[in-house]
Each structure stands twice: as structure tokens, then as C-alpha cells.
Amino acid sequence: MKILGFTAGTHDSSYAIFEDGRLVIHEELERVTRVKETQSDVLEYLEATGINLDDFEYIVTYPHGNLQFYSPTYLRIKERNPSKCIEIGHHLSHAANAFYDSKYEDALVVTIDGGGWDNNTPGCLTAWQASKKSIDNLNYRTDPNLGGFWQDCTRDIFGLSGGGPPYGCQAGTVMAMSSMSQESERPQRPYSQYSGVSDQRKYNLAQGIQDVTEEVVKEYIEDHLGDNTNLCLSGGVVLNCVLTGKIKSWSSQIKNIFVPPVPYDAGLAIGCVQYFLKEHLKKDLVINELFNSPYLGRSYNNEDINKALSEFADRIETEKFSDLDVAKLLTKKKIISVYGGKSESGRRALGNRSILADPRHEDMKDLINEKVKHRQSFRPFAPSILREHVADWFVEDIDSPYMSFAIPFKEEKAKLVPAVVHLDGTGRLQTVTESSNNWYYNFIKTFSSLTDVPILLNTSFNDREPIVETPSDAIKTFLKTDIDFLYFRELNLLVKKNA
């Protein structure tokens, strides 16, 4: 049985294909169009690539409050064959994706975003009691709308994009600003009154926005936690890793927290099918290499890579290099982009489409922000760390495979890796295991054998654009930035710019 899940609306267009309960692929359309949060009709895109929508027994999505937000292709199919088209609630789909991916036996699930429809009702803050038997709603609120609050403030106070193409939601920049505050100031409407204030006051306002968010979420979790020791979170607001990193400190009862790799709306393409399979069709979800994995996109073979290399042959040269050779280059302060395996789903590159650097150099953060990412100097970079060393470096021993939590470094360790320590002393860590990413795990081990530091600076392989998708995308981004080398790891091929 083949089932297609998809999202379409004002942002985050994506699709997921399931075969006999097994997730085959999840792809965000922005990786193809190269425009952040693209609004394209994903079903029209699939048909254009040669996929026959008649091959799917069911097409599953989530409801919208207005017909204008539906995929025109979907509406045509629904009119012709309504029993084929299934709609699962927006927040229910978020909750299902978080809970099923967590593999917990039971959990409180909280979803927080800018709004979505369930049972003909718009909501933005919901709580669910999830177990192997069912996912039951505990509370469904239409306010406070934290997602809308962040979007409005991001746009009106800071002059950044609140969401949608071409820049996507830039709320993460505001989150990073909060660490530069001197005091907390809570914004009052109209937010546009703050548009011309000093940078320092904007940092203070960013802290105020963060404080409001944390207070609302803390109270909401306390009100619905009950006897639960497991907590799952989803919705675009939980991309706020500063928030999620503090939750365990709020309650000693919470032992485990899980955030899926795609908690924002692109993940609904997965969650709506998961719920439909489990609760409507009573089918088991197949636990395979893609279950509970962020590496859900496409992979490209050697022929694809060699074709891209030929396309840019007049601008690059290549040389065979081993992983050890590449690790040695990192110790010489070289910035290296790596490419291999399946594309990561989600906002955060996790070793397959990443830019890597040595975290031991204090100036490395400024260097990458200025010459590669072309963004503000206060924007932090993630430490990728071998899972078994987390307790040695951070104050909390935590699983964070998708960079979901910002956790304080131990003070004596932070000074050893200044390039991945944020201004508030935290790091948005990615914990890496051999089973989650064999190549990346062993590459960090190789770097650690040279430096005694089991951590690499990791940031997404892009420059103000979606994460690179194809080998050609990788070379284009490499050429237009000051990245020193590009490493096609499966070919052990190091790419250099022509002198």
C-alpha cells in the first residue's frame, strides 16, 4: 500500500511517501526550488517529476480554514475521488509525529505554533495524552499565539522576515539576540514603535520576547503534566532551543524530552500519515533505518557527483583525500564543507550537508559568519559531539541528535572550544552516535584522535539559502563563499578552487 502525505499552504511545502507502513522519503520543496519556505503546489511538482498520483491508495494532508490555502491539484483529486483524500488535524499531526518518532510508551505531547486547524477550529497551543493505545486531546487553545507573537515581533521590531519566501522565518536571529541583552524589556503593541530603536534596546526586547515565551510554556506544561515523565514537543515554536534546553530545570519529574527532526509544518507530511496508518487503518509503523531519523531526503550517486564536477571543471580542481587528511586540514584552521549520504530533513544540517571547522579557535565563529554565512556576528554555531562524551563537556547528560536543546557548557570546558560556545555559555549541541551517522561519528573520532576534542563546529551547508541539495548546489555554494575546501566524502574527493 502506497500512501502520500503532503503539506501545502503559505510555507513549508513538503511531501512524504510511505510504502506498507514504511517511510520511503520526505522532501521539502524549498530544497528543489532553492527558495526558503516555498509556496509551490507540491502535488503539481510530483506530477511534473513523473510520479503518478493514481498510484497512491490514499493522499493525506491536514485541513485549512480557507480553500485558497489548499493545493489546487488536491482539490481536483478530492472532487473526483473523495474517499482517497484524507485530512488529519494540524496539531494532531504534529503530536503524532513527535510521539511516534519518540518511541516512548506514553508521554505528554505539547504543540506550539502560529496556528492550525483541527475539527474546524483554529488552535496554536495544544496538549495531548499519548500512549500506545491512542492520542487524546487534553486542551486546545487559540491563545496566546506564541508563533504569531514571534512572527510579528520578528517582522515589526527587527525588520526581519516573519516567515514565507524568499527568506523564511528569521525568528532564530531574534533568539540569538537575546543573549546580548542587558535587561529584559517586554514589547507592547504596536510593535512597529520599536523599529528605529538602538541595537542594545532591540537585544533587550529580544530577551523580553524569550522570557514571555518561556513563562507561557512553563505554566502550560505544569498545568497538563499529570503523572507523565516523558514529554514530546512539536510545532514551529519548539525550534527555540533556548526554551527547550531549560525545560528539565523546571521540573524534576520530566525525565525525557523529545523533539522530532522536523517539528515545524514540513513535518506534518509525515505526522498525518503516521496517525492515519496507526489510528484509522490500524497498521503498524515499520521501524527501519529511516524511522526516528533526520536523513529522510534523496541521495546522489557517484555519477551525479562526477557530472556536477564536470560542469564546473574550469573553476575547480580535485584531489584524492582520506578522512584523516581532511581532519588534519581542519586542525590547520581550514573551513570544509562535506557532502554525502541522504539529505537531512529539517532546518539543521547534521553531518551530510554540513560546513565543519575546528571549534578550538576563538575567531572561527566570526570568520564563518563574515566570510561564509554572511550574517550577524552574534549568530552561534553548533557543537557536534560524540554522545559518550556529553557528560564530560556539558552540565547535563542529554540526547540531542537534532540540535534541539541549548545546554550550558561546563565552565572549564567552554574555554577549550570557544567557537561553539554562545554568549550565554550554552551550546546547541548535536549528539552523534555510530548508529545515527556512521561516517560522521567516525570522522569526529578521527578529529578527536588528533586534538583530544570530541567536538566539531557544524553549521548548515548554505549561504542565506536552503541547505544544498544536489552535488551541483554544493559546488555553486562552495564557489560563491570563502569555504576553503569541499569534500565529497563517498568519493574521498577534495575539491579546491582554481587559483
Side-chain angles (χ1 to χ4, degrees), residues 289 295 432-438 441:
E289 72 279 2
Y295 308 105
V432 184
T433 64
E434 194 165 12
S435 60
S436 66
N437 191 321
N438 180 269
Y441 176 84

Side-chain angles (χ1 to χ4, degrees), residues 183-203:
E183 58 183 333
S184 177
E185 179 179 356
R186 304 193 179 194
Q188 305 292 324
R189 289 188 182 274
Y191 302 136
S192 57
Q193 68 179 294
Y194 303 107
S195 61
V197 300
S198 68
D199 286 347
Q200 186 57 59
R201 191 173 177 196
K202 286 185 177 180
Y203 303 150

